[in-house]
Amino acid sequence: DAKTTQPNSMESNEEEPVHLPCNHSTISGTDYIHWYRQLPSQGPEYVIHGLTSNVNNRMASLAIAEDRKSSTLILHRATLRDAAVYYCIRRVGTGFQKLVFGTGTRLLVSP
Amino acid sequence: DTEVTQTPKHLVMGMTNKKSLKCEQHMGHRAMYWYKQKAKKPPELMFVYSYEKLSINESVPSRFSPECPNSSLLNLHLHALQPEDSALYLCASSQAMIATNEKLFFGSGTQLSVL
């Protein structure tokens, strides 16, 4: 079964960029890479997703390696409100497909 | 309205009790999900409903019984739970069964404690 691996935790200072890595070496060629984050005492919320090329939205950027075996979520200027657990997620199954969460990276942001 | 509402927010129950968790969305989504999250662990999928029919059951014990009365509501009926079932139960919805780029919208969860 394909797996995603992420560092357990990372630290950043406020207003600095943050790069959160994820390895998904067995992801299939048509599977999107999804990222969600979970703030304290809340459910996960969507951050970004992509397939092959880099993606940008108002929350973050997603850089996908050319071989698609890894990706990096980029927060351009971390704020205290970005302190959360960030999940790299793979899609599994054919027909009825489902998102399976990776282990997650806890991001700590210091003022 | 982009909210998924879960009630109650907290629930304490004994092992002989019967209780229900409720989830509601008014985004017109046709797929709804139950996830279980233990402390400091990622969410794990339990059930998926698509167009009010159970599509995925991740081999969940029968003491958990899902129900989808209509496209806006999802219930999880609990009976004879064990202390190890204590966890955060998350409901989510999406426009349809998860496709390659489908987004899930999550509620804030019900924190369940089984004594």
Side-chain angles (χ1 to χ4, degrees), chain B residues 70-84:
Chain B
N70 59 57
S71 59
S72 299
L73 284 176
L74 185 66
N75 298 320
L76 186 63
H77 303 297
L78 313 172
H79 174 56
L81 294 194
Q82 303 297 311
E84 58 264 30

Side-chain angles (χ1 to χ4, degrees), chain A residues 41-77:
Chain A
S41 302
Q42 294 188 26
E45 64 174 350
Y46 169 83
V47 178
I48 201 166
H49 73 274
L51 183 62
T52 55
S53 56
N54 296 343
V55 183
N56 300 293
N57 67 21
R58 64 175 181 82
M59 291 180 70
S61 296
L62 178 59
I64 301 171
E66 195 170 338
D67 63 7
R68 290 182 23 92
K69 295 188 177 197
S70 65
S71 61
T72 301
L73 179 70
I74 302 165
L75 306 180
H76 295 286
R77 292 181 66 191

Side-chain angles (χ1 to χ4, degrees), chain A residues 32 34 36 38 91 97-98, chain B residues 35 37 58 98 100 104:
Chain A
Y32 277 71
H34 299 255
Y36 282 66
Q38 188 170 20
R91 185 201 65 174
Q97 295 157 354
K98 57 190 181 185
Chain B
Y35 279 83
Q37 186 175 26
E58 292 288 276
I98 200 75
T100 56
L104 264 64

Side-chain angles (χ1 to χ4, degrees), chain A:
Chain A
D1 191 16
K3 295 189 185 297
T4 58
T5 56
Q6 301 177 251
N8 287 334
S9 65
M10 294 184 67
E11 294 186 26
S12 173
N13 294 319
E14 203 173 8
E15 299 197 3
E16 289 185 353
V18 180
H19 290 64
L20 299 168
C22 179
N23 289 316
H24 32 76
S25 57
T26 57
I27 197 169
S28 72
T30 56
D31 286 353
Y32 277 71
I33 298 154
H34 299 255
W35 284 81
Y36 282 66
R37 72 179 186 181
Q38 188 170 20
L39 301 170
S41 302
Q42 294 188 26
E45 64 174 350
Y46 169 83
V47 178
I48 201 166
H49 73 274
L51 183 62
T52 55
S53 56
N54 296 343
V55 183
N56 300 293
N57 67 21
R58 64 175 181 82
M59 291 180 70
S61 296
L62 178 59
I64 301 171
E66 195 170 338
D67 63 7
R68 290 182 23 92
K69 295 188 177 197
S70 65
S71 61
T72 301
L73 179 70
I74 302 165
L75 306 180
H76 295 286
R77 292 181 66 191
T79 70
L80 296 178
R81 289 178 297 177
D82 290 323
V85 178
Y86 287 79
Y87 292 104
C88 175
I89 294 167
R90 59 187 170 90
R91 185 201 65 174
V92 298
T94 56
F96 288 143
Q97 295 157 354
K98 57 190 181 185
L99 295 181
V100 177
F101 285 71
T103 53
T105 297
R106 182 172 298 277
L107 176 64
L108 305 171
V109 181
S110 301

